[in-house]
Amino acid sequence: MNKKFGLSQAARIVTLGIILVLISVYVPMLAILALVVPVPFAIIGTLCERKYAFLSLISTFLVIMFCVDPIYAINISIMNVVPGLIIGNIARHNINNENSNKFEPIYGGMIAFTVCTIVFFLLSKFIFNIDLIGEFSKAIKDGFNEQMSIMEKLNVDLYKNIKVEDILILIKSMIPTMLFLQGLFASFITYYLEVFMLKRTKILNLPKPTFRDFYLPGNAVATSLVLYLIVLLLGFMEIGLYTESIMLNLQMVFNFMFIVQGIAVSIYYARKWLKQGTGKNVLVSGILLGLFGTMGISFIGMLDSIIDFRKVRSYKST
């Protein structure tokens, strides 16, 4: 990579990241800045060598540990610094590869954010004896009970037959999907802000994927089918896994991704037909999508992942 970005340049970017962390902690009104903490580290992962990326992780952990507390330092290091570095490293490898998937840094970052969140949850529970999921469930239960007491005072029977235990079971079963969506959202923000910052400072022009070119990596349909079959097999084996919950989360995740790809296909063809002056096609397609709803959009996304209507893939799916 560019040799100009050595230790001194990496230290400046790390300082910016640490400042963002401290501001989000000690200035409650600016706590939203916590969303952009991974961005400086993604830039480091793209511009600097791996040894400087590792030093940025260590230095950030030490500074946050002394300025805030050790647990929060671990939180920031695992859930923000590491995913940011991974996104930057993937972007770094894709710069000179014209056949690379433009969305690969987002996909890789999504996996990194999800896995790192799970790792931090496990560390909190088994090392620091902090059950984050238990505290989350307790907060939901307390909030629901408070709402119930308010409704009872107002003589409203809306929640009369609803049990808080059923709601907790439903929410806990959806935690994997929520982690996935959180990882996707965080990865999207991180990479797009990195692209914007590098382009604005004229340091590097990373490829910026557009939504209408969105497509899932590899053969998503075959992958989803294999995963479904594996879960079904595990269910028949009766080894104690919550296969119904796993199946539910797989279905929600793949439905969401196919819907996103279906929307991308719809936007692509709507723009194409409007430029060609064939508004009739847009009207008919809009009516059909309105009739079939999200199921129709998801089906379009699934077909596109197989056929590639838009010819946007620069490589063959594996």
Side-chain angles (χ1 to χ4, degrees), residues 18-37:
I18 293 173
I19 290 173
L20 288 174
V21 173
L22 296 178
I23 290 176
S24 65
V25 172
Y26 293 110
V27 185
M29 294 181 62
L30 299 177
I32 194 173
L33 289 178
L35 292 174
V36 300
V37 169

Side-chain angles (χ1 to χ4, degrees), residues 44-79:
I44 290 175
T46 302
L47 300 179
C48 304
E49 297 178 7
R50 290 185 179 179
K51 60 181 179 181
Y52 298 134
F54 179 74
L55 288 174
S56 69
L57 172 62
I58 299 300
S59 59
T60 302
F61 170 76
L62 293 175
V63 173
I64 301 302
M65 181 179 66
F66 288 111
C67 293
V68 187
D69 63 63
I71 296 179
Y72 191 73
I74 294 175
N75 177 296
I76 291 296
S77 299
I78 294 177
M79 296 181 60

Side-chain angles (χ1 to χ4, degrees), residues 10-21:
R12 295 174 187 173
I13 302 174
V14 171
T15 302
L16 173 61
I18 293 173
I19 290 173
L20 288 174
V21 173

Side-chain angles (χ1 to χ4, degrees), residues 258-273:
F258 286 137
I259 286 172
V260 172
Q261 183 157 335
I263 293 173
V265 173
S266 302
I267 293 175
Y268 173 85
Y269 279 104
R271 289 170 60 91
K272 180 180 179 180
W273 289 333

Side-chain angles (χ1 to χ4, degrees), residues 15-315:
T15 302
L16 173 61
I18 293 173
I19 290 173
L20 288 174
V21 173
L22 296 178
I23 290 176
S24 65
V25 172
Y26 293 110
V27 185
M29 294 181 62
L30 299 177
I32 194 173
L33 289 178
L35 292 174
V36 300
V37 169
V39 177
F41 301 98
I43 294 174
I44 290 175
T46 302
L47 300 179
C48 304
E49 297 178 7
R50 290 185 179 179
K51 60 181 179 181
Y52 298 134
F54 179 74
L55 288 174
S56 69
L57 172 62
I58 299 300
S59 59
T60 302
F61 170 76
L62 293 175
V63 173
I64 301 302
M65 181 179 66
F66 288 111
C67 293
V68 187
D69 63 63
I71 296 179
Y72 191 73
I74 294 175
N75 177 296
I76 291 296
S77 299
I78 294 177
M79 296 181 60
N80 290 272
V81 179
V82 172
L85 293 174
I86 291 174
I87 291 173
N89 189 58
I90 295 174
R92 173 193 178 98
H93 287 293
N94 287 353
I95 291 174
N96 298 321
N97 186 3
E98 295 181 355
N99 294 326
S100 63
N101 186 342
K102 294 180 181 180
F103 291 91
E104 191 171 332
I106 297 177
Y107 297 142
M110 175 188 67
I111 296 172
F113 274 109
T114 303
V115 172
C116 288
T117 302
I118 294 172
V119 169
F120 179 71
F121 279 15
L122 294 175
L123 287 175
S124 299
K125 183 174 183 179
F126 294 108
I127 296 180
F128 303 114
N129 198 26
I130 301 174
D131 188 0
L132 295 176
I133 296 179
E135 293 184 1
F136 175 68
S137 301
K138 184 178 181 299
I140 293 176
K141 185 176 181 179
D142 293 342
F144 184 81
N145 289 332
E146 184 177 349
Q147 290 292 325
M148 287 285 291
S149 62
I150 294 175
M151 292 298 177
E152 289 178 359
K153 292 178 181 178
L154 297 175
N155 294 323
V156 177
D157 296 332
L158 183 63
Y159 301 112
K160 185 176 181 180
N161 297 322
I162 299 177
K163 296 181 180 179
V164 65
E165 290 77 13
D166 295 336
I167 296 177
L168 289 176
I169 292 173
L170 176 62
I171 292 176
K172 285 182 178 180
S173 66
M174 294 176 60
I175 285 179
T177 300
M178 291 188 286
L179 289 178
F180 167 81
L181 294 177
Q182 176 265 338
L184 177 63
F185 180 70
S187 179
F188 180 86
I189 291 178
T190 300
Y191 183 65
Y192 268 78
L193 286 179
E194 180 194 5
V195 172
F196 173 78
M197 293 296 296
L198 291 177
K199 186 175 182 180
R200 190 63 181 266
T201 55
K202 298 181 180 179
I203 296 176
L204 186 64
N205 190 14
L206 287 175
K208 182 180 178 181
T210 57
F211 182 75
R212 65 178 180 273
D213 293 331
F214 174 85
Y215 61 96
L216 295 171
N219 195 328
V221 176
T223 302
S224 62
L225 180 60
V226 170
L227 289 175
Y228 281 131
L229 292 176
I230 291 174
V231 174
L232 286 175
L233 178 62
L234 293 174
F236 290 133
M237 294 172 64
E238 297 182 354
I239 59 177
L241 291 177
Y242 297 99
T243 53
E244 292 184 0
S245 177
I246 296 173
M247 187 72 77
L248 172 64
N249 283 277
L250 282 175
Q251 182 177 352
M252 288 192 294
V253 168
F254 279 105
N255 281 349
F256 175 79
M257 297 303 292
F258 286 137
I259 286 172
V260 172
Q261 183 157 335
I263 293 173
V265 173
S266 302
I267 293 175
Y268 173 85
Y269 279 104
R271 289 170 60 91
K272 180 180 179 180
W273 289 333
L274 288 174
K275 287 182 180 179
Q276 295 175 349
T278 53
K280 181 180 179 180
N281 292 341
V282 179
L283 178 62
V284 173
S285 300
I287 293 173
L288 291 175
L289 289 177
L291 291 174
F292 291 101
T294 56
M295 183 180 297
I297 296 175
S298 178
F299 182 71
I300 291 174
M302 185 176 64
L303 284 181
D304 183 64
S305 67
I306 301 173
I307 302 174
D308 189 19
F309 297 120
R310 299 163 292 167
K311 306 298 178 184
V312 294
R313 295 180 184 174
S314 54
Y315 67 96

